[in-house]
Amino acid sequence: MANKVKNIFRSIGNFLMDNLHQSLHLEYRLLKRGYLLYRHEVLKKGKTFEIYAKDYLAEIYNFSYKNPRELAEKTRIHSKVVDIFTLRPDLIQQYFDKDFDFRFYKQLIKEYDTSEFIPSQVDITDTTHMELAEPNPIVEQFPILDKEEQLAKVRVEILKYESGEKQPKHIGQRMFGYLLKANYFSAYNDEQRNEAWQKFTGLETKPEMSYLRDPSYNKNSIAKEKFSAQLKRIDEFFYLVGLKM
């Protein structure tokens, strides 16, 4: 009886301590939420890891903030969690297949920071293992990003510029201008452009409308070479996420 009571109090203590860690560490809270969904949706309901990851990453992009500083911090943390899921799905499955607490969270982060994902350990020159080698399911589960994921990546990048994490600020607004120009959103006047901007970014601040009307407009007469480099930065980012502008 005494042991049973001790176990109950220990469980309560562990629960309260875990909640404390989640309240103090946003990164852990996001991964803990992902772990609970993984246990329910993948292990219990049989959802594929690819669909589970896609649904969860779409969910965590929705967050509120009190000021630009908090926006920058939350954007940084959310982006890192997205990177862990997309770059190291092997770690997600490895740690989520067992009980996941704050101690294992720290181990996961350490391993993510210090190791690389090696898709296959089989030496392709060794033909004796070719018939035994199985396709790596983790690699196959992460194809080219779909439109929703591409736009989510762009949103995170725009928020980095709006928060001041990246400079100059107008690049993020030009990015959205290119999305409008490519008809990813329907907006035919300044009011609709502003509404589309606020809905996409979640920001209440108004962008410089000239960048949304014509993202290639050199509003402040920036030096030609410098301006070309800024536009090239946007073009390279869109290329990396797979958007054809």
Side-chain angles (χ1 to χ4, degrees), residues 3-241:
N3 289 335
K4 185 176 181 180
V5 172
K6 288 182 180 179
N7 290 334
I8 292 175
F9 278 104
R10 185 180 297 112
S11 298
I12 294 174
N14 291 338
F15 174 77
L16 294 176
M17 183 58 68
D18 193 72
N19 281 346
L20 177 61
H21 286 312
Q22 290 188 52
S23 67
L24 296 176
H25 303 275
L26 174 59
E27 189 175 78
Y28 174 54
R29 185 162 74 248
L30 292 173
L31 288 170
K32 185 74 172 188
R33 165 69 175 163
Y35 160 75
L36 295 174
L37 285 176
Y38 178 86
R39 304 291 292 187
H40 178 71
E41 297 185 354
V42 178
L43 299 186
K44 186 176 180 179
K45 298 180 67 176
K47 180 181 285 190
T48 66
F49 183 83
E50 178 188 7
I51 299 300
Y52 148 77
K54 185 184 298 182
D55 291 345
Y56 179 59
L57 294 185
E59 172 187 316
I60 71 170
Y61 277 111
N62 298 315
F63 62 89
S64 58
Y65 59 93
K66 297 178 181 178
N67 50 57
R69 182 177 179 181
E70 185 180 72
L71 168 62
E73 178 66 9
K74 285 189 174 182
T75 299
R76 180 187 65 79
I77 293 173
H78 281 240
S79 296
K80 183 175 180 181
V81 172
V82 171
D83 286 342
I84 293 173
F85 269 84
T86 55
L87 300 177
R88 297 301 306 270
D90 59 315
L91 291 181
I92 292 295
Q93 292 181 310
Q94 174 187 332
Y95 280 90
F96 283 10
D97 276 338
K98 54 189 177 184
D99 291 338
F100 185 71
D101 57 19
F102 190 67
R103 177 169 56 93
F104 287 119
Y105 152 71
K106 291 191 290 184
Q107 291 180 9
L108 185 156
I109 296 301
K110 182 179 180 180
E111 193 167 348
Y112 171 75
D113 289 338
T114 59
S115 65
E116 295 182 2
F117 176 37
I118 303 176
S120 176
Q121 298 290 346
V122 177
D123 184 353
I124 60 174
T125 62
D126 185 357
T127 57
T128 62
H129 292 84
M130 294 301 289
E131 293 182 358
L132 299 177
E134 297 181 357
N136 190 311
I138 297 174
V139 176
E140 293 180 353
Q141 288 173 349
F142 279 86
I144 298 173
L145 298 176
D146 62 19
K147 180 181 176 181
E148 181 180 342
E149 293 170 317
Q150 291 168 337
L151 293 177
K153 289 279 188 182
V154 177
R155 178 179 183 273
V156 170
E157 191 72 3
I158 289 175
L159 292 177
K160 288 180 180 179
Y161 284 103
E162 287 296 304
S163 68
E165 181 179 343
K166 286 189 173 184
Q167 295 288 344
K169 182 177 181 179
H170 65 82
I171 287 184
Q173 297 179 11
R174 291 181 190 277
M175 282 184 172
F176 189 73
Y178 280 116
L179 292 180
L180 292 174
K181 191 174 182 179
N183 295 318
Y184 281 92
F185 304 96
S186 298
Y188 306 104
N189 55 49
D190 287 352
E191 182 179 356
Q192 292 176 348
R193 293 185 186 98
N194 185 58
E195 289 178 357
W197 163 268
Q198 291 183 344
K199 183 177 181 180
F200 181 69
T201 64
L203 301 173
E204 295 182 358
T205 55
K206 290 187 177 181
E208 173 56 57
M209 198 54 62
S210 58
Y211 299 141
L212 270 59
R213 296 191 202 106
D214 180 6
S216 302
Y217 173 54
N218 193 348
K219 181 176 183 293
N220 297 318
S221 300
I222 305 171
K224 186 176 180 179
E225 291 185 0
K226 182 178 181 181
F227 185 62
S228 296
Q230 291 175 347
L231 295 185
K232 184 178 180 182
R233 194 191 310 178
I234 297 173
D235 185 60
E236 289 176 345
F237 177 79
F238 281 135
Y239 174 79
L240 289 174
V241 299

